[in-house]
Amino acid sequence: MGKEKTIHSFFKRKESDEEGSSKRHKTSTSEAETHETQQVNLGNVEGPLPQANTNEVDTKEEDSSNFERDPGKRKQLWEYPPNLREQVRRFYLGEGPYQILLNEYPKDDSKKNPRKFQPSWFRVFPNWLDHGHDSFIVKGFKNWKKVRGKDCAFLKHISTTQHRSALIFKENLLNQAAHIENVISKQNEELIMKNRLRLKTTIDVIRWLTFQACALRGHDESSTSKNRGNFLEMLQLLASYNDEVANVILGNAPYNSKYTSSDIQKEILNIIANRVRKSIRSEVGDSYYCVMVDESRDESKKEQMAIVLRFVDEKGIIRERFLGLVHVRDTLSATLKLSLWQQLSHNQFDVNKIRGQGYDGASNMRGEWNGLQALVLKDSPYAYYIHCFAHRLQLALVCASKEVLPVHKFFSDLVGIINVVCASSKRHDELQKAKQDEIKELLELGEIKSGKGKNQVGTLKRPGDTRWGSHFDSICSLLKMYNVTLTILKRIMDDPSSKYTQRGDAYDSVRFSEHTMELLSLSASLASKEINVEDICLLVERYYPGDFTEQERIGLQYQLENLNIEMKNNIRLSGVSNLPDLCKTLVETQKRETYNLVDRVCRLILTLPVSTATTERAFSAMKIFKTRLRNKMSDEYLADSLVIYLEKEIAENFDSNSIIDEFKDLKGRRAEL
């Protein structure tokens, strides 16, 4: 089911387009011939060819995230403007076969002995077998009984002329060096090396600036500008230290291949970001994973949804990876769920592998009936929702403190003091001036010592019910600024023109799910010195019935009993103090295969989220990138920048030469690379 379908149809359509164009320009063409030019041969099916709007001028490239991977659902090639068809061809050929591994495939119910597709066939034919509608050229293939043995239909198809021709056409299309325009104007090796050095310098500067969350463009990038922006200024700096680089960049670069435009920068960012996403997909593999989602507004007032995946890697280490930022029309749970599913599908994640959800306490997220967690549970019944424990603890402490009147009054007074003292910039300036005078006086008296980083002038910090540790920080800031705060309050009291009214009291409650608490309490036994076998078996039977067969549940009981005995005698296992350590130690001691079912339970439990700190970190990074001066960043540009910034650990390992090769294959380039 075919990658070759994609290749066949691409070249068939291209030939039909060219043939139709030629015929339409002949005035002597008969009515029958004219009708024939409107037909396109797609394998075994013929259909009318819609007229392309050749007068349309569009120099922009299509956003690759809009391309549908499923061959049966994607737009036909002739539906794109002519100037975009080359990009579309290269994208689908570069992505490779669309292979989705499912536990169950639909059966062919039209036969007496219904058969179905087997996922193992993807491994036998990894380079061309595709998943989607209209496979095997057009109408699909369901004769599964002819897949095995010497009469295998797949093997017969490989030997056909059409299949071999399609592969040759594909290789020729992707081989830029063999294109006629490059053969005619072949450049020497020295020129290619200069082009690659120029592009490598651009890539390294873009990557470094993105790692530091710095803007690339400048307000005025003309040659007479005093500040041409971070990107051009850093290129100039590198040129001053390296003559080889200086000879190929900026003023010494060819006019048509300087590699300094904003479009080139965004292309390179997109390449690196997509490689990070593919690396994350490879890391997850066939493992279970958890989706963690949060939403917030950016500087331009757009609603953005951050998506983070939590999983346990092959080494038994818990990972939380930022997959991307998605602009959503609104924050309705249905909208969030649709956007989430689209992102997971686009990056080829199996939603049946979701085993956890982590959100904050907003009603559109945690709603029992119509919230995001409820909608996800309909498609992934074992994706248990965990309300962020950091938020829970904070809210629980705040709620408990309300019951103690002195504590409640203390924090109410604290908020009131902060509101009064910091109500205006004038009062804030007076507060800091008073602190500076106090520090100067204490230095003169010798009561404090000067030094680097000491005696900083701070301010009062406001506590927040959902900001972790903010109450403690608020108290510490008041203690540090206590004397000068009293001074400012006395000035306000003595000023007859000062009038203020401030009453602040924040209250929120927590809904601890009994369902979730039972799940976590049963799993706690795995982190103890002696595992409660009955609890773990009950956990698997009640919460993960689809992940263990009846035979595996019996085998799990024996493995747990044996592990209890070995934990007393094995030094490495006896030193395990928590569940992450147990999972990691099973891998390091090569006991994972011996206790494979125990390892599966550990990974399922560790997949459940503890907090939404990673998604909060994504929004903190978003505020660094999308500022008041950069509030017109496109959604894709912002998302790519955040992926590279937050997953620097992955992005910094990509070789610049491999990025150049991908940049070269993305579309035709004026300079040979």
mmCIF file of all heavy atoms in Angstrom, residues 111-131:
data_model
loop_
_atom_site.group_PDB
_atom_site.id
_atom_site.type_symbol
_atom_site.label_atom_id
_atom_site.label_comp_id
_atom_site.label_asym_id
_atom_site.label_seq_id
_atom_site.Cartn_x
_atom_site.Cartn_y
_atom_site.Cartn_z
ATOM 1 N N LYS A 111 -15.564 -11.340 2.935
ATOM 2 C CA LYS A 111 -15.208 -12.724 2.627
ATOM 3 C C LYS A 111 -15.651 -13.648 3.750
ATOM 4 O O LYS A 111 -15.877 -13.221 4.883
ATOM 5 C CB LYS A 111 -13.699 -12.837 2.392
ATOM 6 C CG LYS A 111 -13.210 -11.961 1.228
ATOM 7 C CD LYS A 111 -11.738 -12.186 0.973
ATOM 8 C CE LYS A 111 -11.253 -11.305 -0.184
ATOM 9 N NZ LYS A 111 -11.942 -11.635 -1.438
ATOM 10 N N LYS A 112 -15.732 -14.941 3.427
ATOM 11 C CA LYS A 112 -16.163 -15.909 4.430
ATOM 12 C C LYS A 112 -15.163 -16.010 5.570
ATOM 13 O O LYS A 112 -15.540 -16.155 6.730
ATOM 14 C CB LYS A 112 -16.338 -17.277 3.760
ATOM 15 C CG LYS A 112 -17.477 -17.321 2.744
ATOM 16 C CD LYS A 112 -17.626 -18.716 2.154
ATOM 17 C CE LYS A 112 -18.769 -18.768 1.153
ATOM 18 N NZ LYS A 112 -18.926 -20.117 0.560
ATOM 19 N N ASN A 113 -13.901 -16.000 5.217
ATOM 20 C CA ASN A 113 -12.847 -16.046 6.232
ATOM 21 C C ASN A 113 -12.146 -14.698 6.271
ATOM 22 O O ASN A 113 -11.152 -14.482 5.579
ATOM 23 C CB ASN A 113 -11.840 -17.160 5.912
ATOM 24 C CG ASN A 113 -12.483 -18.534 5.925
ATOM 25 O OD1 ASN A 113 -13.273 -18.838 6.819
ATOM 26 N ND2 ASN A 113 -12.151 -19.354 4.944
ATOM 27 N N PRO A 114 -12.696 -13.742 7.052
ATOM 28 C CA PRO A 114 -12.131 -12.376 7.039
ATOM 29 C C PRO A 114 -10.691 -12.340 7.508
ATOM 30 O O PRO A 114 -10.319 -12.995 8.472
ATOM 31 C CB PRO A 114 -13.052 -11.615 8.004
ATOM 32 C CG PRO A 114 -13.637 -12.669 8.876
ATOM 33 C CD PRO A 114 -13.789 -13.883 8.028
ATOM 34 N N ARG A 115 -9.870 -11.582 6.777
ATOM 35 C CA ARG A 115 -8.473 -11.400 7.136
ATOM 36 C C ARG A 115 -8.211 -9.924 7.341
ATOM 37 O O ARG A 115 -9.044 -9.073 7.035
ATOM 38 C CB ARG A 115 -7.552 -11.964 6.043
ATOM 39 C CG ARG A 115 -7.669 -13.473 5.866
ATOM 40 C CD ARG A 115 -6.763 -13.950 4.744
ATOM 41 N NE ARG A 115 -6.703 -15.387 4.655
ATOM 42 C CZ ARG A 115 -7.581 -16.137 3.988
ATOM 43 N NH1 ARG A 115 -8.574 -15.552 3.365
ATOM 44 N NH2 ARG A 115 -7.463 -17.448 3.945
ATOM 45 N N LYS A 116 -7.031 -9.597 7.853
ATOM 46 C CA LYS A 116 -6.704 -8.198 8.113
ATOM 47 C C LYS A 116 -5.223 -7.951 7.879
ATOM 48 O O LYS A 116 -4.422 -8.886 7.801
ATOM 49 C CB LYS A 116 -7.072 -7.814 9.548
ATOM 50 C CG LYS A 116 -6.362 -8.639 10.609
ATOM 51 C CD LYS A 116 -6.836 -8.259 12.004
ATOM 52 C CE LYS A 116 -6.129 -9.100 13.050
ATOM 53 N NZ LYS A 116 -6.572 -8.758 14.411
ATOM 54 N N PHE A 117 -4.888 -6.697 7.775
ATOM 55 C CA PHE A 117 -3.499 -6.271 7.578
ATOM 56 C C PHE A 117 -2.674 -6.573 8.822
ATOM 57 O O PHE A 117 -3.162 -6.464 9.953
ATOM 58 C CB PHE A 117 -3.468 -4.772 7.280
ATOM 59 C CG PHE A 117 -2.095 -4.246 6.979
ATOM 60 C CD1 PHE A 117 -1.551 -4.362 5.715
ATOM 61 C CD2 PHE A 117 -1.344 -3.633 7.974
ATOM 62 C CE1 PHE A 117 -0.292 -3.870 5.434
ATOM 63 C CE2 PHE A 117 -0.080 -3.147 7.713
ATOM 64 C CZ PHE A 117 0.445 -3.273 6.427
ATOM 65 N N GLN A 118 -1.402 -6.948 8.629
ATOM 66 C CA GLN A 118 -0.518 -7.268 9.741
ATOM 67 C C GLN A 118 0.569 -6.200 9.873
ATOM 68 O O GLN A 118 1.221 -5.852 8.879
ATOM 69 C CB GLN A 118 0.137 -8.636 9.523
ATOM 70 C CG GLN A 118 -0.843 -9.777 9.419
ATOM 71 C CD GLN A 118 -1.631 -9.976 10.715
ATOM 72 O OE1 GLN A 118 -1.087 -9.786 11.806
ATOM 73 N NE2 GLN A 118 -2.900 -10.341 10.584
ATOM 74 N N PRO A 119 0.808 -5.658 11.097
ATOM 75 C CA PRO A 119 1.836 -4.614 11.254
ATOM 76 C C PRO A 119 3.246 -5.094 10.921
ATOM 77 O O PRO A 119 4.105 -4.297 10.604
ATOM 78 C CB PRO A 119 1.706 -4.217 12.734
ATOM 79 C CG PRO A 119 1.024 -5.374 13.393
ATOM 80 C CD PRO A 119 0.107 -5.965 12.360
ATOM 81 N N SER A 120 3.479 -6.401 10.992
ATOM 82 C CA SER A 120 4.828 -6.916 10.693
ATOM 83 C C SER A 120 5.223 -6.672 9.238
ATOM 84 O O SER A 120 6.395 -6.627 8.903
ATOM 85 C CB SER A 120 4.882 -8.415 10.999
ATOM 86 O OG SER A 120 3.935 -9.123 10.209
ATOM 87 N N TRP A 121 4.210 -6.491 8.355
ATOM 88 C CA TRP A 121 4.525 -6.241 6.950
ATOM 89 C C TRP A 121 5.220 -4.905 6.767
ATOM 90 O O TRP A 121 5.945 -4.704 5.790
ATOM 91 C CB TRP A 121 3.247 -6.305 6.110
ATOM 92 C CG TRP A 121 2.630 -7.687 6.130
ATOM 93 C CD1 TRP A 121 3.254 -8.855 6.401
ATOM 94 C CD2 TRP A 121 1.249 -8.008 5.908
ATOM 95 N NE1 TRP A 121 2.363 -9.901 6.350
ATOM 96 C CE2 TRP A 121 1.121 -9.418 6.044
ATOM 97 C CE3 TRP A 121 0.127 -7.270 5.585
ATOM 98 C CZ2 TRP A 121 -0.098 -10.073 5.876
ATOM 99 C CZ3 TRP A 121 -1.090 -7.917 5.402
ATOM 100 C CH2 TRP A 121 -1.202 -9.301 5.555
ATOM 101 N N PHE A 122 4.984 -3.959 7.663
ATOM 102 C CA PHE A 122 5.689 -2.677 7.590
ATOM 103 C C PHE A 122 7.189 -2.885 7.764
ATOM 104 O O PHE A 122 8.002 -2.179 7.175
ATOM 105 C CB PHE A 122 5.186 -1.728 8.669
ATOM 106 C CG PHE A 122 3.897 -1.028 8.302
ATOM 107 C CD1 PHE A 122 2.961 -0.726 9.267
ATOM 108 C CD2 PHE A 122 3.632 -0.657 6.992
ATOM 109 C CE1 PHE A 122 1.774 -0.081 8.939
ATOM 110 C CE2 PHE A 122 2.464 -0.012 6.646
ATOM 111 C CZ PHE A 122 1.528 0.271 7.614
ATOM 112 N N ARG A 123 7.571 -3.847 8.631
ATOM 113 C CA ARG A 123 9.005 -4.096 8.862
ATOM 114 C C ARG A 123 9.632 -4.851 7.692
ATOM 115 O O ARG A 123 10.820 -4.694 7.412
ATOM 116 C CB ARG A 123 9.184 -4.888 10.157
ATOM 117 C CG ARG A 123 8.798 -4.105 11.400
ATOM 118 C CD ARG A 123 9.235 -4.817 12.672
ATOM 119 N NE ARG A 123 8.482 -6.047 12.902
ATOM 120 C CZ ARG A 123 7.346 -6.105 13.576
ATOM 121 N NH1 ARG A 123 6.842 -5.006 14.110
ATOM 122 N NH2 ARG A 123 6.710 -7.258 13.769
ATOM 123 N N VAL A 124 8.831 -5.662 7.009
ATOM 124 C CA VAL A 124 9.344 -6.415 5.864
ATOM 125 C C VAL A 124 9.548 -5.496 4.667
ATOM 126 O O VAL A 124 10.492 -5.641 3.898
ATOM 127 C CB VAL A 124 8.378 -7.564 5.509
ATOM 128 C CG1 VAL A 124 8.900 -8.344 4.294
ATOM 129 C CG2 VAL A 124 8.219 -8.500 6.708
ATOM 130 N N PHE A 125 8.639 -4.495 4.507
ATOM 131 C CA PHE A 125 8.722 -3.551 3.388
ATOM 132 C C PHE A 125 8.767 -2.126 3.938
ATOM 133 O O PHE A 125 7.819 -1.350 3.765
ATOM 134 C CB PHE A 125 7.517 -3.723 2.459
ATOM 135 C CG PHE A 125 7.298 -5.137 1.987
ATOM 136 C CD1 PHE A 125 6.343 -5.940 2.588
ATOM 137 C CD2 PHE A 125 8.063 -5.668 0.959
ATOM 138 C CE1 PHE A 125 6.135 -7.241 2.158
ATOM 139 C CE2 PHE A 125 7.858 -6.972 0.523
ATOM 140 C CZ PHE A 125 6.907 -7.774 1.128
ATOM 141 N N PRO A 126 9.852 -1.750 4.614
ATOM 142 C CA PRO A 126 9.883 -0.454 5.309
ATOM 143 C C PRO A 126 10.061 0.754 4.396
ATOM 144 O O PRO A 126 9.760 1.865 4.798
ATOM 145 C CB PRO A 126 11.101 -0.598 6.239
ATOM 146 C CG PRO A 126 12.017 -1.533 5.491
ATOM 147 C CD PRO A 126 11.116 -2.511 4.773
ATOM 148 N N ASN A 127 10.546 0.535 3.179
ATOM 149 C CA ASN A 127 10.919 1.678 2.339
ATOM 150 C C ASN A 127 9.814 2.176 1.429
ATOM 151 O O ASN A 127 9.934 3.241 0.837
ATOM 152 C CB ASN A 127 12.145 1.321 1.486
ATOM 153 C CG ASN A 127 13.357 1.033 2.326
ATOM 154 O OD1 ASN A 127 13.557 1.661 3.354
ATOM 155 N ND2 ASN A 127 14.161 0.072 1.918
ATOM 156 N N TRP A 128 8.732 1.384 1.297
ATOM 157 C CA TRP A 128 7.704 1.842 0.349
ATOM 158 C C TRP A 128 6.284 1.533 0.786
ATOM 159 O O TRP A 128 5.343 2.213 0.372
ATOM 160 C CB TRP A 128 7.944 1.239 -1.021
ATOM 161 C CG TRP A 128 7.749 -0.262 -1.075
ATOM 162 C CD1 TRP A 128 8.683 -1.207 -0.816
ATOM 163 C CD2 TRP A 128 6.548 -0.973 -1.408
ATOM 164 N NE1 TRP A 128 8.157 -2.457 -0.951
ATOM 165 C CE2 TRP A 128 6.838 -2.357 -1.327
ATOM 166 C CE3 TRP A 128 5.264 -0.589 -1.771
ATOM 167 C CZ2 TRP A 128 5.891 -3.342 -1.594
ATOM 168 C CZ3 TRP A 128 4.315 -1.574 -2.035
ATOM 169 C CH2 TRP A 128 4.631 -2.932 -1.951
ATOM 170 N N LEU A 129 6.088 0.537 1.657
ATOM 171 C CA LEU A 129 4.724 0.176 2.057
ATOM 172 C C LEU A 129 4.103 1.307 2.848
ATOM 173 O O LEU A 129 4.657 1.768 3.832
ATOM 174 C CB LEU A 129 4.738 -1.111 2.886
ATOM 175 C CG LEU A 129 3.368 -1.772 3.087
ATOM 176 C CD1 LEU A 129 2.739 -2.120 1.744
ATOM 177 C CD2 LEU A 129 3.504 -3.021 3.939
ATOM 178 N N ASP A 130 2.931 1.770 2.427
ATOM 179 C CA ASP A 130 2.311 2.969 2.988
ATOM 180 C C ASP A 130 1.010 2.597 3.680
ATOM 181 O O ASP A 130 0.435 1.530 3.464
ATOM 182 C CB ASP A 130 2.034 3.969 1.868
ATOM 183 C CG ASP A 130 2.239 5.399 2.327
ATOM 184 O OD1 ASP A 130 2.173 5.660 3.541
ATOM 185 O OD2 ASP A 130 2.453 6.242 1.460
ATOM 186 N N HIS A 131 0.509 3.544 4.530
ATOM 187 C CA HIS A 131 -0.751 3.352 5.239
ATOM 188 C C HIS A 131 -1.689 4.477 4.864
ATOM 189 O O HIS A 131 -1.374 5.645 5.051
ATOM 190 C CB HIS A 131 -0.534 3.346 6.749
ATOM 191 C CG HIS A 131 -1.809 3.186 7.524
ATOM 192 N ND1 HIS A 131 -2.644 4.238 7.782
ATOM 193 C CD2 HIS A 131 -2.390 2.112 8.075
ATOM 194 C CE1 HIS A 131 -3.682 3.819 8.485
ATOM 195 N NE2 HIS A 131 -3.557 2.534 8.669
#
